[in-house]
């Protein structure tokens, strides 16, 4: 019995030697061909006659041969993979973006390593280090700080880095993003045009550029409506989560009715869903007592108990475009960096209406 704290690998039981891995030489001997022919089947199959290729593949199956990807990488100098370092794996926005990346990578026969920084700089840097060591074809990243010098350092050492959902001010990288100032303005203007004269902006640390820009847009809409900025109540939160949305509902419900906003722009759908959920719990009617606008238009937005009005981000397109830019930078000697910015759109549903 293993002592507590000792770890035994599957093949390391006493009395049983770890099975020797099958080599290219073993495959060649079994198939009755040269080692070079086996190497061609692995790396340049179009150069091998179909019958010979079938013999080699049969030998690989019979022996349980598994190609040594790290050896291939060493020879080729690059892995056949790209990586996406997302900010928050608990947020469907990022998994939708990752799906777009995978759709494009798959067409280029590239694997995708999905990493989650969890909005933790030390974790993000550890991933950048490890991915550089793995010699991936390129790194797509939604960075905590788009001006982080490590991004430029990795790119300068030959690994293409594409910013996703953030723009690159110094054009040292390709980037794809959505105009978040316009998105915030769209959301707030929708409420103001419905007749709401006191609105809230809910959620997100100001350290996130996406949040800062959406708030800037909401402020711009209030100014354009000729209202003083004190008609916009800002409720910041440490994270963009459902729990923070629920907490914001408690704060809003605690305000005297005369000071309580009748509409809320949320920094993203996760916060909006939490706000909606807690309003229902507290007996605040949505939209009659509080109209709510989310941001991202993730699939859960339309499926909410009161379908959410939300600012739609083209998540799949963000991922596909970012992957296209990365593959071009990794393969095209004449590549030129591009900053692609998409325009968000407002999807109106049942969570917003004129104030009661
Ligand atoms: O990561 C926070 C938010 O920024 C996401 O919900 C999405 O809106 C992204 O742009």
């Amino acid at each position: 019995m293993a002592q507590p704290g000792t770890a035994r690998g599957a093949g390391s039981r006493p009395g049983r030697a770890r099975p020797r891995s099958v080599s290219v030489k073993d495959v060649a001997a079994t198939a009755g061909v040269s080692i070079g022919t086996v190497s061609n089947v692995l790396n340049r199959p179009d150069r091998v006659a179909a019958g010979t290729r079938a013999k080699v593949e049969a030998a690989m199956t019979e022996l349980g041969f598994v190609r040594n990807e790290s050896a291939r990488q060493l020879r080729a100098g690059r892995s056949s993979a790209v990586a996406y370092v997302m900010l928050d794996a608990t947020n469907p926005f990022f998994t939708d973006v990752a799906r777009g990346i995978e759709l494009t990578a798959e067409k280029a026969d590239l694997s995708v390593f999905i990493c989650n920084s969890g909005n933790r700089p030390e974790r993000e840097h550890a991933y950048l280090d490890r991915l550089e060591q793995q010699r991936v074809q390129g790194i797509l990243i939604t960075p905590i700080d788009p001006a982080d010098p490590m991004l430029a350092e990795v790119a300068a050492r030959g690994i293409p880095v594409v910013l996703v959902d953030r723009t690159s001010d110094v054009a040292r990288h390709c980037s794809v993003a959505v105009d978040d100032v316009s998105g915030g303005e769209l959301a707030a203007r929708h409420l103001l045009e419905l007749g709401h004269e006191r609105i809230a902006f809910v959620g997100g640390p100001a350290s996130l550029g996406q949040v800062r820009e959406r708030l800037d847009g909401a402020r711009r809409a209030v100014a354009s409506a000729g209202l003083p900025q004190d008609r916009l109540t800002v409720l910041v939160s440490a994270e963009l989560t459902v729990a923070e949305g629920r907490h914001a509902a408690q704060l809003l419900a605690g305000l005297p009715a005369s000071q309580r906003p009748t509409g809320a722009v949320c920094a993203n759908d996760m916060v909006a869903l939490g706000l909606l959920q807690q309003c229902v719990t507290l007996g605040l009617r949505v939209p009659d007592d509080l109209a709510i606008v989310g941001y991202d238009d993730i699939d859960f937005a339309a499926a909410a108990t009161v379908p959410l009005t939300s600012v739609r981000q083209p998540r799949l397109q963000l991922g596909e475009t970012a992957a296209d830019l990365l593959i071009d930078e990794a393969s095209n000697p004449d590549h030129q960096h591009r900053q692609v910015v998409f325009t968000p759109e407002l999807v109106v549903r049942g969570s917003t209406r004129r104030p009661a």
Side-chain angles (χ1 to χ4, degrees):
M1 172 70 77
Q3 296 306 313
T6 56
R8 290 186 187 282
S12 61
R13 289 183 185 75
R16 283 183 57 185
R18 179 186 293 277
R20 180 176 69 80
S21 61
V22 176
S23 71
V24 168
K25 189 177 176 185
D26 298 327
V27 173
T30 303
V33 298
S34 70
I35 290 173
T37 300
V38 176
S39 174
N40 279 339
V41 169
L42 288 169
N43 300 302
R44 291 175 294 279
D46 54 307
R47 293 184 180 179
V48 183
T52 307
R53 196 162 69 236
K55 265 200 314 188
V56 172
E57 286 165 351
M60 287 177 175
T61 305
E62 178 192 336
L63 297 172
F65 173 79
V66 176
R67 75 178 304 163
N68 183 334
E69 177 60 12
S70 52
R72 188 200 66 76
Q73 286 178 26
L74 282 174
R75 284 193 304 279
R78 277 276 191 274
S79 85
S80 51
V82 297
Y84 175 41
V85 182
M86 63 173 69
L87 202 61
D88 176 3
T90 65
N91 182 344
F93 169 85
F94 292 105
T95 46
D96 290 346
V97 170
R99 198 151 49 89
I101 291 169
E102 285 202 301
L103 287 173
T104 299
E106 192 175 349
K107 289 173 191 160
D109 195 24
L110 289 169
S111 305
V112 182
F113 297 150
I114 305 285
C115 311
N116 175 40
S117 70
N119 210 6
R120 291 158 50 203
E122 69 283 357
R123 191 82 183 125
E124 181 181 275
H125 288 175
Y127 273 125
L128 287 170
D129 268 339
R130 182 66 54 83
L131 292 168
E132 187 175 8
Q133 291 161 24
Q134 291 288 327
R135 306 302 297 161
V136 291
Q137 290 284 348
I139 299 172
L140 300 128
I141 183 168
T142 301
I144 296 164
D145 174 5
D148 185 334
M150 189 171 183
L151 299 172
E153 290 158 9
V154 170
R157 290 193 289 266
I159 302 277
V161 173
V162 173
L163 306 189
V164 182
D165 190 37
R166 298 306 293 140
T167 53
S168 164
D169 302 335
V170 290
R172 247 197 296 253
H173 309 284
C174 288
S175 67
V176 292
V178 174
D179 181 345
D180 282 323
V181 174
S182 297
E185 189 169 9
L186 261 180
R189 190 167 64 234
H190 170 62
L191 293 174
L192 296 167
E193 288 175 349
L194 283 173
H196 296 274
E197 295 186 344
R198 184 178 298 280
I199 61 176
F201 182 90
V202 180
S207 59
L208 268 182
Q210 294 91 330
V211 173
R212 280 198 307 273
E213 290 168 12
R214 291 165 201 173
L215 176 53
D216 287 350
R219 288 196 166 116
R220 192 180 291 184
V222 170
S224 302
L227 293 173
Q229 285 299 318
D230 65 6
R231 295 295 181 85
L232 180 66
T233 303
V234 180
L235 299 178
V236 293
S237 63
E239 297 173 307
L240 288 169
T241 59
V242 169
E244 291 288 3
R246 286 201 289 265
H247 179 58
Q250 297 283 152
L251 296 176
L252 290 171
L255 293 175
S258 61
Q259 293 172 34
R260 186 191 309 140
T262 58
V265 172
C266 297
N268 77 354
D269 286 343
M270 305 297 280
V271 170
L273 291 168
L275 179 63
L276 169 59
Q277 183 190 50
Q278 193 62 15
C279 279
V280 171
T281 303
L282 294 171
L284 276 176
R285 296 166 303 163
V286 176
D288 294 341
D289 296 328
L290 183 69
I292 298 177
V293 184
Y295 203 107
D296 290 341
D297 197 29
I298 59 176
D299 295 346
F300 294 123
T305 42
V306 179
L308 206 53
T309 293
S310 185
V311 177
R312 173 174 293 164
Q313 296 207 73
R315 305 176 302 286
L316 219 58
Q317 212 178 350
L318 277 167
E320 291 172 319
T321 305
D324 275 330
L325 290 170
L326 185 79
I327 291 166
D328 184 74
E329 183 172 349
S331 58
N332 175 4
D334 302 322
H335 171 81
Q336 295 292 321
H337 288 329
R338 289 177 53 209
Q339 321 300 325
V340 178
V341 180
F342 290 98
T343 303
E345 59 173 317
L346 183 73
V347 180
V348 179
R349 298 192 180 99
S351 67
T352 51
R353 64 179 294 181
R354 305 190 62 74

